[in-house]
Short mmCIF file of all heavy atoms in Angstrom, two decimals:
data_model
loop_
_atom_site.label_atom_id
_atom_site.label_comp_id
_atom_site.label_asym_id
_atom_site.label_seq_id
_atom_site.Cartn_x
_atom_site.Cartn_y
_atom_site.Cartn_z
N ILE B 303 120.78 136.58 143.69
CA ILE B 303 120.13 135.40 144.00
C ILE B 303 119.67 134.77 142.76
O ILE B 303 119.89 133.55 142.44
CB ILE B 303 118.98 135.55 145.02
CG1 ILE B 303 119.41 136.22 146.28
CG2 ILE B 303 118.31 134.29 145.26
CD1 ILE B 303 118.27 136.54 147.26
N VAL B 304 119.10 135.66 141.88
CA VAL B 304 118.64 135.13 140.58
C VAL B 304 119.74 134.58 139.83
O VAL B 304 119.67 133.57 139.19
CB VAL B 304 117.88 136.35 139.85
CG1 VAL B 304 117.42 135.86 138.45
CG2 VAL B 304 116.73 136.90 140.75
N ALA B 305 120.79 135.51 139.69
CA ALA B 305 121.96 135.00 138.80
C ALA B 305 122.59 133.66 139.42
O ALA B 305 122.94 132.78 138.59
CB ALA B 305 123.15 136.10 138.94
N PHE B 306 122.69 133.57 140.68
CA PHE B 306 123.20 132.36 141.28
C PHE B 306 122.40 131.12 140.91
O PHE B 306 122.95 130.13 140.59
CB PHE B 306 123.32 132.56 142.75
CG PHE B 306 123.91 131.31 143.55
CD1 PHE B 306 125.23 130.95 143.47
CD2 PHE B 306 122.98 130.53 144.27
CE1 PHE B 306 125.51 129.75 144.18
CE2 PHE B 306 123.35 129.36 144.96
CZ PHE B 306 124.66 129.07 144.84
N LEU B 307 121.14 131.25 141.17
CA LEU B 307 120.22 130.13 140.90
C LEU B 307 120.24 129.81 139.43
O LEU B 307 120.09 128.65 139.02
CB LEU B 307 118.84 130.38 141.32
CG LEU B 307 118.66 130.66 142.87
CD1 LEU B 307 117.19 130.89 143.11
CD2 LEU B 307 118.99 129.34 143.57
N ARG B 308 120.42 130.81 138.58
CA ARG B 308 120.39 130.46 137.09
C ARG B 308 121.70 129.83 136.73
O ARG B 308 121.75 128.80 136.01
CB ARG B 308 120.27 131.85 136.32
CG ARG B 308 120.52 131.71 134.88
CD ARG B 308 119.47 131.08 134.14
NE ARG B 308 119.94 130.55 132.77
CZ ARG B 308 119.90 131.22 131.72
NH1 ARG B 308 119.35 132.55 131.73
NH2 ARG B 308 120.40 130.83 130.58
N VAL B 309 122.86 130.31 137.14
CA VAL B 309 124.11 129.77 136.68
C VAL B 309 124.35 128.44 137.45
O VAL B 309 124.84 127.52 136.80
CB VAL B 309 125.24 130.77 137.06
CG1 VAL B 309 126.65 130.19 136.82
CG2 VAL B 309 125.09 131.96 136.22
N LYS B 310 124.12 128.29 138.63
CA LYS B 310 124.44 127.15 139.42
C LYS B 310 123.33 126.05 139.19
O LYS B 310 123.74 124.87 139.08
CB LYS B 310 124.44 127.51 140.88
CG LYS B 310 125.31 126.49 141.81
CD LYS B 310 126.72 126.79 141.74
CE LYS B 310 127.48 125.65 142.36
NZ LYS B 310 128.85 125.58 142.07
N PHE B 311 122.15 126.43 139.20
CA PHE B 311 121.05 125.30 139.20
C PHE B 311 120.22 125.42 137.91
O PHE B 311 119.23 124.73 137.69
CB PHE B 311 120.13 125.51 140.31
CG PHE B 311 120.96 125.24 141.66
CD1 PHE B 311 121.22 126.35 142.48
CD2 PHE B 311 121.35 123.96 142.10
CE1 PHE B 311 121.90 126.17 143.69
CE2 PHE B 311 121.93 123.81 143.35
CZ PHE B 311 122.26 124.91 144.08
N ASN B 312 120.64 126.26 137.03
CA ASN B 312 119.87 126.39 135.71
C ASN B 312 118.41 126.80 135.97
O ASN B 312 117.46 126.47 135.14
CB ASN B 312 119.83 125.10 135.07
CG ASN B 312 119.53 125.07 133.62
OD1 ASN B 312 119.68 126.19 132.99
ND2 ASN B 312 118.90 124.19 133.11
N ALA B 313 118.05 127.51 137.14
CA ALA B 313 116.68 127.89 137.38
C ALA B 313 116.38 129.14 136.43
O ALA B 313 117.12 130.25 136.59
CB ALA B 313 116.50 128.17 138.86
N ASN B 314 115.31 129.02 135.76
CA ASN B 314 114.89 130.15 134.80
C ASN B 314 114.64 131.46 135.50
O ASN B 314 113.95 131.58 136.64
CB ASN B 314 113.72 129.71 134.06
CG ASN B 314 113.34 130.73 133.00
OD1 ASN B 314 113.16 131.93 133.24
ND2 ASN B 314 113.25 130.23 131.90
N GLU B 315 115.42 132.59 135.14
CA GLU B 315 115.27 133.85 135.78
C GLU B 315 113.99 134.50 135.57
O GLU B 315 113.62 135.32 136.48
CB GLU B 315 116.41 134.72 135.32
CG GLU B 315 116.30 135.31 133.89
CD GLU B 315 116.79 134.34 132.80
OE1 GLU B 315 117.02 133.04 133.17
OE2 GLU B 315 116.89 134.74 131.71
N ILE B 316 113.06 134.14 134.70
CA ILE B 316 111.80 134.75 134.58
C ILE B 316 111.01 134.39 135.90
O ILE B 316 110.47 135.32 136.59
CB ILE B 316 110.97 134.26 133.44
CG1 ILE B 316 111.60 134.69 132.11
CG2 ILE B 316 109.59 134.82 133.45
CD1 ILE B 316 110.79 134.33 130.84
N LEU B 317 111.13 133.26 136.23
CA LEU B 317 110.26 132.77 137.47
C LEU B 317 110.92 133.34 138.70
O LEU B 317 110.34 133.93 139.62
CB LEU B 317 110.15 131.37 137.58
CG LEU B 317 109.44 130.82 138.77
CD1 LEU B 317 108.33 129.85 138.41
CD2 LEU B 317 110.38 130.21 139.95
N THR B 318 112.30 133.14 138.89
CA THR B 318 112.86 133.51 140.19
C THR B 318 112.76 134.98 140.38
O THR B 318 112.52 135.42 141.51
CB THR B 318 114.37 132.99 140.30
OG1 THR B 318 115.15 133.46 139.04
CG2 THR B 318 114.52 131.61 140.34
N SER B 319 113.14 135.77 139.37
CA SER B 319 113.11 137.21 139.51
C SER B 319 111.74 137.76 139.98
O SER B 319 111.61 138.58 140.77
CB SER B 319 113.83 138.00 138.40
OG SER B 319 112.97 137.77 137.16
N LEU B 320 110.70 137.17 139.19
CA LEU B 320 109.35 137.62 139.51
C LEU B 320 108.92 137.18 140.90
O LEU B 320 108.42 138.05 141.67
CB LEU B 320 108.40 137.05 138.45
CG LEU B 320 106.87 137.34 138.63
CD1 LEU B 320 106.76 138.72 138.41
CD2 LEU B 320 106.06 136.54 137.60
N MET B 321 109.14 136.04 141.30
CA MET B 321 108.80 135.51 142.63
C MET B 321 109.44 136.32 143.67
O MET B 321 108.86 136.59 144.81
CB MET B 321 109.10 133.99 142.91
CG MET B 321 108.19 133.06 141.87
SD MET B 321 106.51 133.41 142.25
CE MET B 321 105.69 132.29 141.26
N LEU B 322 110.75 136.64 143.43
CA LEU B 322 111.50 137.41 144.52
C LEU B 322 110.98 138.82 144.68
O LEU B 322 111.16 139.44 145.65
CB LEU B 322 113.00 137.34 144.14
CG LEU B 322 113.68 136.00 144.55
CD1 LEU B 322 115.04 135.99 144.03
CD2 LEU B 322 113.62 135.78 146.01
N SER B 323 110.31 139.31 143.53
CA SER B 323 109.68 140.59 143.70
C SER B 323 108.60 140.63 144.82
O SER B 323 108.51 141.62 145.57
CB SER B 323 109.09 141.03 142.42
OG SER B 323 110.15 141.34 141.36
N TYR B 324 107.72 139.60 144.68
CA TYR B 324 106.68 139.51 145.68
C TYR B 324 107.25 139.37 147.12
O TYR B 324 106.71 139.92 148.06
CB TYR B 324 105.76 138.22 145.46
CG TYR B 324 105.04 138.31 144.20
CD1 TYR B 324 105.34 137.62 143.00
CD2 TYR B 324 103.87 139.13 143.95
CE1 TYR B 324 104.71 137.75 141.86
CE2 TYR B 324 103.26 139.35 143.00
CZ TYR B 324 103.53 138.56 141.71
OH TYR B 324 102.80 138.73 140.74
N VAL B 325 108.35 138.58 147.22
CA VAL B 325 108.90 138.35 148.47
C VAL B 325 109.52 139.68 149.04
O VAL B 325 109.29 139.98 150.11
CB VAL B 325 110.11 137.40 148.45
CG1 VAL B 325 110.86 137.31 149.66
CG2 VAL B 325 109.48 135.95 148.03
N ALA B 326 110.16 140.42 148.08
CA ALA B 326 110.69 141.77 148.52
C ALA B 326 109.65 142.76 148.98
O ALA B 326 109.72 143.39 150.07
CB ALA B 326 111.50 142.45 147.28
N GLY B 327 108.42 142.69 148.38
CA GLY B 327 107.33 143.68 148.75
C GLY B 327 106.81 143.23 150.14
O GLY B 327 106.63 144.15 151.02
N LEU B 328 106.82 141.91 150.39
CA LEU B 328 106.34 141.60 151.76
C LEU B 328 107.36 141.78 152.78
O LEU B 328 107.03 142.06 153.96
CB LEU B 328 105.97 140.06 151.60
CG LEU B 328 104.62 139.60 151.05
CD1 LEU B 328 104.60 138.21 150.48
CD2 LEU B 328 103.51 140.00 151.82
N TRP B 329 108.61 141.82 152.39
CA TRP B 329 109.78 141.97 153.34
C TRP B 329 109.60 143.36 153.76
O TRP B 329 109.83 143.74 155.02
CB TRP B 329 111.08 141.56 152.79
CG TRP B 329 112.19 141.68 153.61
CD1 TRP B 329 112.14 141.46 154.99
CD2 TRP B 329 113.58 141.89 153.27
NE1 TRP B 329 113.48 141.70 155.52
CE2 TRP B 329 114.38 141.93 154.56
CE3 TRP B 329 114.17 142.12 152.07
CZ2 TRP B 329 115.72 142.23 154.45
CZ3 TRP B 329 115.57 142.45 152.02
CH2 TRP B 329 116.35 142.41 153.34
N LEU B 330 109.56 144.37 152.78
CA LEU B 330 109.55 145.77 153.17
C LEU B 330 108.35 145.96 154.00
O LEU B 330 108.39 146.76 155.10
CB LEU B 330 109.40 146.53 151.83
CG LEU B 330 109.06 148.07 151.98
CD1 LEU B 330 110.19 148.77 152.68
CD2 LEU B 330 108.67 148.63 150.71
N ASN B 331 107.16 145.34 153.71
CA ASN B 331 106.02 145.50 154.53
C ASN B 331 106.34 144.98 155.99
O ASN B 331 105.95 145.77 156.94
CB ASN B 331 104.86 144.63 153.99
CG ASN B 331 103.50 145.00 154.48
OD1 ASN B 331 103.21 144.66 155.69
ND2 ASN B 331 102.72 145.54 153.71
N LEU B 332 106.89 143.95 156.11
CA LEU B 332 107.15 143.40 157.49
C LEU B 332 108.16 144.41 158.15
O LEU B 332 107.97 144.69 159.43
CB LEU B 332 107.98 142.05 157.29
CG LEU B 332 108.32 141.28 158.57
CD1 LEU B 332 107.12 140.73 159.33
CD2 LEU B 332 109.22 140.13 158.17
N MET B 333 109.11 144.92 157.58
CA MET B 333 110.10 145.88 158.21
C MET B 333 109.43 147.20 158.63
O MET B 333 109.76 147.66 159.71
CB MET B 333 111.33 146.19 157.31
CG MET B 333 112.07 145.01 156.88
SD MET B 333 112.67 144.09 158.23
CE MET B 333 114.19 144.85 158.80
N VAL B 334 108.66 147.71 157.97
CA VAL B 334 107.88 148.96 158.36
C VAL B 334 106.85 148.67 159.26
O VAL B 334 106.41 149.59 160.05
CB VAL B 334 107.42 149.82 157.12
CG1 VAL B 334 108.41 150.51 156.32
CG2 VAL B 334 106.35 149.08 156.31
N HIS B 335 106.39 147.48 159.52
CA HIS B 335 105.40 147.22 160.61
C HIS B 335 106.15 146.83 161.81
O HIS B 335 105.66 146.77 162.88
CB HIS B 335 104.55 145.86 160.26
CG HIS B 335 103.29 146.30 159.44
ND1 HIS B 335 103.18 146.21 158.13
CD2 HIS B 335 102.14 146.96 159.87
CE1 HIS B 335 102.02 146.64 157.81
NE2 HIS B 335 101.30 147.16 158.81
N GLY B 336 107.49 146.60 161.74
CA GLY B 336 108.25 146.08 162.84
C GLY B 336 109.53 146.98 163.06
O GLY B 336 109.32 148.18 163.55
N PRO B 337 110.73 146.55 162.91
CA PRO B 337 111.90 147.19 163.31
C PRO B 337 112.08 148.59 162.79
O PRO B 337 112.63 149.48 163.50
CB PRO B 337 113.06 146.30 162.79
CG PRO B 337 112.48 145.04 162.31
CD PRO B 337 111.02 145.19 162.13
N LEU B 338 111.59 148.92 161.60
CA LEU B 338 111.83 150.29 161.11
C LEU B 338 110.72 151.24 161.25
O LEU B 338 110.71 152.32 160.71
CB LEU B 338 112.16 150.12 159.60
CG LEU B 338 113.44 149.35 159.19
CD1 LEU B 338 113.58 149.33 157.75
CD2 LEU B 338 114.67 149.83 159.98
N LYS B 339 109.65 150.79 162.13
CA LYS B 339 108.51 151.63 162.35
C LYS B 339 108.96 152.80 163.12
O LYS B 339 109.79 152.85 163.95
CB LYS B 339 107.48 150.78 163.19
CG LYS B 339 106.27 151.26 163.40
CD LYS B 339 105.17 150.23 163.82
CE LYS B 339 105.63 149.64 165.16
NZ LYS B 339 104.60 148.73 165.66
N ASP B 340 108.26 153.97 162.87
CA ASP B 340 108.45 155.24 163.51
C ASP B 340 108.09 155.11 165.00
O ASP B 340 106.90 154.94 165.26
CB ASP B 340 107.68 156.35 162.90
CG ASP B 340 107.82 157.70 163.57
OD1 ASP B 340 108.56 157.82 164.50
OD2 ASP B 340 107.24 158.71 163.07
N PRO B 341 109.01 155.22 165.94
CA PRO B 341 108.68 154.98 167.53
C PRO B 341 107.56 155.97 167.85
O PRO B 341 106.86 155.67 168.85
CB PRO B 341 109.99 155.21 168.16
CG PRO B 341 111.01 155.27 167.10
CD PRO B 341 110.36 155.57 165.85
N GLU B 342 107.53 157.15 167.18
CA GLU B 342 106.50 158.12 167.75
C GLU B 342 105.43 158.12 166.70
O GLU B 342 104.46 159.03 166.74
CB GLU B 342 107.14 159.57 167.81
CG GLU B 342 107.95 159.77 169.00
CD GLU B 342 109.35 159.93 168.71
OE1 GLU B 342 109.68 160.80 167.77
OE2 GLU B 342 110.23 159.22 169.29
N GLY B 343 105.20 157.11 165.95
CA GLY B 343 104.16 157.11 164.76
C GLY B 343 102.89 156.39 165.23
O GLY B 343 102.16 155.99 164.28
N PHE B 344 102.50 156.24 166.47
CA PHE B 344 101.29 155.62 166.95
C PHE B 344 101.15 154.25 166.21
O PHE B 344 99.97 153.89 165.95
CB PHE B 344 100.03 156.42 166.49
CG PHE B 344 100.13 157.85 167.36
CD1 PHE B 344 100.57 158.96 166.69
CD2 PHE B 344 99.67 157.86 168.55
CE1 PHE B 344 100.56 160.12 167.46
CE2 PHE B 344 99.64 159.17 169.29
CZ PHE B 344 100.22 160.26 168.61
N ASN B 345 102.23 153.57 165.93
CA ASN B 345 102.22 152.21 165.55
C ASN B 345 101.74 152.07 164.09
O ASN B 345 101.13 150.93 163.68
CB ASN B 345 101.30 151.24 166.34
CG ASN B 345 102.15 150.92 167.56
OD1 ASN B 345 103.24 150.57 167.73
ND2 ASN B 345 101.52 151.11 168.88
N PHE B 346 101.60 153.23 163.34
CA PHE B 346 101.34 153.20 161.97
C PHE B 346 102.49 152.61 161.12
O PHE B 346 103.70 152.83 161.57
CB PHE B 346 100.87 154.55 161.39
CG PHE B 346 99.54 154.88 161.65
CD1 PHE B 346 99.17 155.59 162.94
CD2 PHE B 346 98.42 154.41 160.85
CE1 PHE B 346 97.88 155.92 163.18
CE2 PHE B 346 97.15 154.66 161.27
CZ PHE B 346 96.75 155.52 162.38
N PRO B 347 102.27 151.94 160.07
CA PRO B 347 103.31 151.35 159.41
C PRO B 347 104.12 152.37 158.43
O PRO B 347 103.98 152.34 157.31
CB PRO B 347 102.67 150.28 158.52
CG PRO B 347 101.28 150.70 158.29
CD PRO B 347 101.03 151.48 159.55
N GLU B 348 104.99 153.21 159.12
CA GLU B 348 105.70 154.17 158.39
C GLU B 348 107.00 154.34 159.18
O GLU B 348 107.02 154.14 160.44
CB GLU B 348 105.08 155.49 158.24
CG GLU B 348 103.86 155.64 157.40
CD GLU B 348 103.55 157.03 157.14
OE1 GLU B 348 103.94 157.93 157.92
OE2 GLU B 348 102.78 157.29 156.20
N SER B 349 108.06 154.58 158.50
CA SER B 349 109.37 154.86 159.17
C SER B 349 109.27 156.31 159.72
O SER B 349 108.36 157.10 159.25
CB SER B 349 110.52 154.56 158.41
OG SER B 349 110.77 155.72 157.53
N ARG B 350 110.30 156.71 160.47
CA ARG B 350 110.58 158.23 160.76
C ARG B 350 110.71 158.89 159.35
O ARG B 350 111.09 158.25 158.40
CB ARG B 350 111.75 158.36 161.43
CG ARG B 350 111.73 157.99 163.00
CD ARG B 350 113.11 158.21 163.41
NE ARG B 350 113.40 157.62 164.77
CZ ARG B 350 113.05 158.09 165.87
NH1 ARG B 350 112.60 159.27 165.99
NH2 ARG B 350 113.43 157.53 167.04
N ILE B 351 110.49 160.14 159.31
CA ILE B 351 110.77 160.99 158.19
C ILE B 351 112.29 161.31 158.23
O ILE B 351 112.84 161.55 159.33
CB ILE B 351 110.07 162.30 158.24
CG1 ILE B 351 108.60 162.11 158.04
CG2 ILE B 351 110.57 163.22 157.10
CD1 ILE B 351 107.72 163.20 157.98
N PHE B 352 112.98 160.99 157.16
CA PHE B 352 114.48 161.07 157.14
C PHE B 352 114.86 162.46 157.55
O PHE B 352 114.30 163.49 157.19
CB PHE B 352 115.07 160.77 155.83
CG PHE B 352 114.76 159.33 155.27
CD1 PHE B 352 114.91 159.08 153.97
CD2 PHE B 352 114.41 158.25 156.13
CE1 PHE B 352 114.60 157.71 153.52
CE2 PHE B 352 114.16 157.00 155.79
CZ PHE B 352 114.24 156.77 154.44
N SER B 353 116.16 162.50 158.18
CA SER B 353 116.58 163.86 158.56
C SER B 353 117.26 164.52 157.33
O SER B 353 117.39 163.82 156.17
CB SER B 353 117.59 163.76 159.71
OG SER B 353 118.54 162.85 159.40
N ASP B 354 117.40 165.77 157.33
CA ASP B 354 117.87 166.56 155.99
C ASP B 354 119.09 165.97 155.40
O ASP B 354 119.25 165.93 154.20
CB ASP B 354 118.09 167.96 156.37
CG ASP B 354 116.75 168.71 156.63
OD1 ASP B 354 115.66 168.04 156.32
OD2 ASP B 354 116.74 169.83 157.16
N SER B 355 120.01 165.37 156.26
CA SER B 355 121.26 164.90 155.67
C SER B 355 120.97 163.73 154.86
O SER B 355 121.91 163.23 154.14
CB SER B 355 122.24 164.64 156.76
OG SER B 355 122.60 165.78 157.37
N ALA B 356 119.91 163.04 155.05
CA ALA B 356 119.52 161.71 154.37
C ALA B 356 118.65 162.01 153.10
O ALA B 356 118.19 161.15 152.52
CB ALA B 356 118.95 160.74 155.23
#
Side-chain angles (χ1 to χ4, degrees):
Chain B
I303 302 174
V304 177
F306 176 75
L307 294 179
R308 168 72 200 271
V309 170
K310 198 85 186 158
F311 298 104
N312 195 34
N314 188 304
E315 70 275 14
I316 294 182
L317 180 128
T318 50
S319 63
L320 181 64
M321 291 304 182
L322 284 173
S323 291
Y324 293 106
V325 175
L328 287 160
W329 187 28
L330 171 66
N331 193 293
L332 183 68
M333 296 307 276
V334 291
H335 272 101
L338 300 180
K339 187 165 63 177
D340 179 358
E342 281 113 49
F344 297 96
N345 288 314
F346 280 95
E348 288 191 348
S349 78
R350 292 176 192 271
I351 294 180
F352 297 163
S353 47
D354 287 345
S355 292

